[in-house]
Amino acid sequence: LLQQIINKNDDDDDDGEEWDIQAVTIDLDDDSVKQGQCTVTQNQETANFPTTGQEALQDWKPHLVYVEGGNTFWLYHCVEKG
């Protein structure tokens, strides 16, 4: 889904509007953040990625949260763990 959004943004270059898209992978079990990515309009090294899952979901104020994989037992474990 994110790749489709990025591709759509790239295809519409002639409209003069570019979006800054940042994405990270959050491990809900240990609150870690991995695989920070951003669009080509930003520098990967200077992008302001969150360092914890809590920061990613609260302080970063994402417009989209996409949950993939896992199962109900794993998700329940993460919710119970807090």
Side-chain angles (χ1 to χ4, degrees):
L1 177 62
L2 180 59
Q3 189 62 50
Q4 291 173 348
I5 293 170
I6 292 171
N7 291 343
K8 170 84 170 107
N9 185 42
D10 289 343
D11 292 343
D12 292 341
D13 283 344
D14 58 345
D15 66 4
E17 181 180 348
E18 292 192 56
W19 308 335
D20 288 329
I21 300 172
Q22 294 182 336
V24 295
T25 299
I26 303 169
D27 186 326
L28 298 176
D29 186 45
D30 67 4
D31 195 40
S32 63
V33 174
K34 302 172 181 80
Q35 301 172 334
Q37 297 289 317
C38 60
T39 56
V40 293
T41 60
Q42 296 181 10
N43 183 332
Q44 187 77 23
E45 287 77 35
T46 61
N48 189 20
F49 293 117
T51 57
T52 67
Q54 181 177 2
E55 183 181 317
L57 294 173
Q58 292 179 353
D59 301 337
W60 210 31
K61 298 181 179 147
H63 296 294
L64 173 70
V65 176
Y66 177 71
V67 178
E68 178 182 1
N71 58 51
T72 54
F73 297 106
W74 177 80
L75 291 173
Y76 183 76
H77 162 76
C78 293
V79 169
E80 287 294 305
K81 187 175 178 179

